[in-house]
Amino acid sequence: MADTLTVHRAGLATVQDLGRFGRSRHGLPVNGALDQHSARVANVLCGNDEGAPLIEITALDFSCTPSTDVLVAVTGAPADLTVDGVAHPQWEPVSVRRGQTIRITGIRLGIRVYLAVLGSLNTPMLQGSCAPDTILGFGHTLRDGDEVGLRTPCPPLDHPHFRLPLFRLKAPVPRFHATWTIDVTDGPDRAEFGETAERLFRSPYTVSAQSNHIGLRLGGDVPRRVARGEVLSRGVPVGAVEVPAGDELLVLHRGRGVTAGYPVLAVVTATGLSVLGQVRPGQSLRFRHRSITEAVTAHRAQRHAVDALKARVHTVFGALRIPVPP
């Protein structure tokens, strides 16, 4: 029989990857893990491809048990990770023996945690991705009692005497705050807001409970469009900061439709999108203006940190003879 991960407490968990790229021209949202950085690092810590399927856990507690020895990594928002009641660190690989129970509880500051398993998970795919799509009715939303197929077992790894952690891989861990700062660049319609455009950077905005993977609704001092005339529907990027005629901002995330008709004041940067994926309803955030050059530099620095981690993992796994999946 194939080895599995049995879910005991699913909460709000789904099987995700980095998204369905190259399909926007056909009207399909990209979707995928909302905190792309944490998802990438979780997979890298397990020796997987960055875009391999993993579990995204949102807000609520989660627990599961593997039917074989596995190596896992848990990243994302601060939480309590235990294996059969013994605490383990996030952002490092953790060896789990068959029959032991992995519990992730007390998610705080942020809202999403990522659980990757060496070898990844067997899950249905659509257009090259397992990312759920609510419009198409596709996706693997986990429920209590579900069994998720495992691709690769891993012999147990343990310090024979001191029970010390095996790894010190120095993963690039982002900071988590009660108030968030989201980097944005100028949107195509900034000039249509005149002097009111600066309101975006002067005061905090509060995240509405109506926010989801499609987008966030933000209450606060909303800039006002001073230009006249209608805005035609057109393609909009992930991260577009839209200003409808009302008292809220809309920030489109990875589940957004590919077209919209509201003016776009700003666009969240690639690194800012991962931060945005951790913001809880009720929390406050501020926008920070960045030039295109600054945004690209920050993205390259984050990618360099992940690539450096990948090299360290390759070295350590080779020394410990951990079977890295092809």
Side-chain angles (χ1 to χ4, degrees), residues 9-239:
R9 187 171 184 177
L12 298 174
T14 57
V15 179
Q16 290 276 9
D17 56 21
L18 296 182
R20 196 165 284 108
F21 295 97
R23 303 299 191 273
S24 291
R25 62 181 178 272
H26 303 304
L28 292 179
V30 63
N31 284 304
L34 289 192
D35 181 350
Q36 296 263 298
H37 176 70
S38 293
R40 289 178 188 275
V41 172
N43 269 320
V44 169
L45 288 169
C46 288
N48 298 336
D49 181 84
E50 292 180 24
L54 78 172
I55 297 175
E56 181 181 74
I57 302 157
T58 302
L60 304 181
D61 295 348
F62 177 88
S63 64
C64 62
T65 299
S67 66
T68 186
D69 301 327
V70 295
L71 192 72
V72 304
V74 175
T75 63
D80 299 314
L81 167 63
T82 63
V83 178
D84 269 4
V86 178
H88 288 272
Q90 291 177 260
W91 301 88
E92 292 286 354
V94 175
S95 183
V96 180
R97 294 178 181 270
R98 62 177 296 181
Q100 291 186 319
T101 299
I102 303 164
R103 287 188 174 86
I104 298 167
T105 60
I107 299 173
R108 50 197 177 270
L109 295 181
I111 194 172
R112 291 180 175 87
V113 167
Y114 294 87
L115 170 64
V117 183
L118 184 147
S120 191
L121 309 172
N122 285 320
T123 188
M125 308 288 281
L126 175 68
Q127 294 289 308
S129 171
C130 72
D133 189 305
T134 54
I135 303 300
L136 297 177
F138 172 83
H140 196 169
T141 299
L142 297 176
R143 295 177 174 82
D144 296 355
D146 278 359
E147 292 187 346
V148 183
L150 298 173
R151 294 179 180 173
T152 308
C154 180
L157 302 167
D158 194 16
H159 193 289
H161 300 294
F162 305 111
R163 296 295 185 262
L164 295 176
L166 286 166
F167 303 94
R168 287 289 187 269
L169 292 170
K170 297 182 180 179
V173 183
R175 295 181 179 181
F176 290 81
H177 308 276
T179 300
W180 300 86
T181 299
I182 308 298
D183 288 343
V184 298
T185 58
D186 288 339
D189 305 316
R190 179 183 171 112
E192 297 187 8
F193 290 85
E195 295 181 357
T196 74
E198 290 301 319
R199 294 181 188 176
L200 187 67
F201 310 109
R202 290 176 181 168
S203 61
Y205 292 86
T206 303
V207 180
S208 164
Q210 279 69 50
S211 301
N212 54 27
H213 69 290
I214 296 174
L216 284 75
R217 294 180 178 272
L218 309 177
D221 188 12
V222 177
R224 299 299 175 187
R225 183 171 178 258
V226 296
R228 297 184 179 275
E230 293 188 33
V231 177
L232 298 178
S233 290
R234 65 230 164 127
V236 289
V238 176

